[in-house]
Amino acid sequence: EAQVTQNPRYLITVTGKKLTVTCSQNMNHEYMSWYRQDPGLGLRQIYYSMNVEVTDKGDVPEGYKVSRKEKRNFPLILESPSPNQTSLYFCASSLSYQPSSYNSPLHFGNGTRLTVT
Amino acid sequence: AQSVAQPEDQVNVAEGNPLTVKCTYSVSGNPYLFWYVQYPNRGLQFLLKYITGDNLVKGSYGFEAEFNKSQTSFHLKKPSALVSDSALYFCAVSDSRAAGNKLTFGGGTRVLVKP
């Protein structure tokens, strides 16, 4: 089954304790992206990657890191989490990074709910 | 800069009645417009998109949306709502001049369809 898999689904941690949220897609998609969802704010892009070893900042990159060493994986790293990073996080992928492309619609994972105390 | 607005936090509609979810946008180039739906504890699912061509776009689950350039709107519609359409709906826009598949999402509109 074609899917984007995120782990874990739920995570509670303390301020300053490094954590990684994994994301993997099995569709051979070039484009991958991380979003955070907060009530009333919709989804805001954190980082994105157009291909292996190509990553760039989105709208809210502060406090986050990513890497794209393999095409299928795009982990999100919080080196020193803070309470304002408590949120619902989504990983997404698409075959093409061109919005006008037929292959541009994003496929989303089921989300990771992170709480930082 | 690109932006999108969903003016209604929630829309309530009776089952069988028409459903409309509003969306307006702002871009500097040509707009690429999308609707996504989110069911509880799930990620977003693609419904439909407008890139070019016919202003009326048909999508999944009987939904359609009308692109109106003069009003900079892309409202989502369904002629007859079902209880199972109750979910959170997001409009998103990408500017033809933006790099990196940058999608800007609206704040979302919760749809509640009552039996």
Side-chain angles (χ1 to χ4, degrees):
Chain A
E1 179 188 353
Q3 59 186 358
V4 177
T5 303
Q6 290 179 233
N7 281 297
R9 288 294 307 274
Y10 301 92
L11 180 57
I12 300 174
T13 190
V14 296
T15 299
K17 186 176 181 181
K18 181 180 178 180
L19 66 90
T20 299
V21 183
T22 63
C23 174
S24 180
Q25 50 90 7
N26 63 359
M27 296 168 280
N28 201 35
H29 283 174
E30 288 190 347
Y31 181 90
M32 298 185 75
S33 181
W34 276 103
Y35 294 87
R36 59 178 289 174
Q37 182 181 7
D38 300 291
L41 297 178
L43 277 74
R44 292 178 292 168
Q45 190 178 48
I46 304 171
Y47 269 94
Y48 65 93
S49 169
M50 288 198 246
N51 216 323
V52 175
E53 302 290 3
V54 181
T55 63
D56 208 346
K57 296 177 180 179
D59 295 319
V60 288
E62 296 78 19
Y64 304 96
K65 284 176 56 178
V66 294
S67 68
R68 188 95 181 270
K69 294 185 172 64
E70 307 164 280
K71 199 170 187 178
R72 63 183 293 126
N73 295 323
F74 190 46
L76 180 69
I77 303 157
L78 283 73
E79 294 270 3
S80 182
S82 62
N84 64 12
Q85 292 178 298
T86 292
S87 187
L88 181 58
Y89 291 86
F90 288 100
C91 180
S93 71
S94 65
L95 190 58
S96 168
Y97 65 86
Q98 296 286 354
S100 59
S101 165
Y102 175 79
N103 295 313
S104 64
L106 292 165
H107 297 254
F108 284 82
N110 284 333
T112 296
R113 186 167 292 282
L114 172 65
T115 302
V116 184
T117 61
Chain B
Q2 58 194 48
S3 65
V4 61
Q6 293 180 244
E8 301 158 316
D9 290 335
Q10 181 160 322
V11 170
N12 297 318
V13 63
E15 188 174 31
N17 282 2
L19 169 64
T20 299
V21 186
K22 296 179 180 177
C23 171
T24 58
Y25 65 90
S26 174
V27 295
S28 54
N30 293 319
Y32 304 129
L33 294 153
F34 301 79
W35 276 102
Y36 287 84
V37 59
Q38 184 181 29
Y39 298 102
N41 299 314
R42 300 296 300 275
L44 280 69
Q45 296 177 31
F46 169 72
L47 275 179
L48 52 79
K49 70 177 181 182
Y50 171 84
I51 303 299
T52 187
D54 195 348
N55 290 343
L56 185 64
V57 179
K58 293 189 184 297
S60 306
Y61 311 122
F63 283 94
E64 58 188 29
E66 186 166 11
F67 170 64
N68 188 317
K69 188 173 183 178
S70 62
Q71 296 186 5
T72 61
S73 67
F74 190 56
H75 301 330
L76 181 70
K77 299 179 181 182
K78 187 170 184 181
S80 178
L82 301 172
V83 172
S84 57
D85 292 328
S86 298
L88 187 56
Y89 290 81
F90 290 97
C91 181
V93 67
S94 184
D95 192 332
S96 61
R97 298 179 184 175
N101 200 5
K102 180 177 172 58
L103 271 184
T104 298
F105 286 84
T109 298
R110 189 165 300 281
V111 169
L112 181 60
V113 182
K114 298 181 178 178

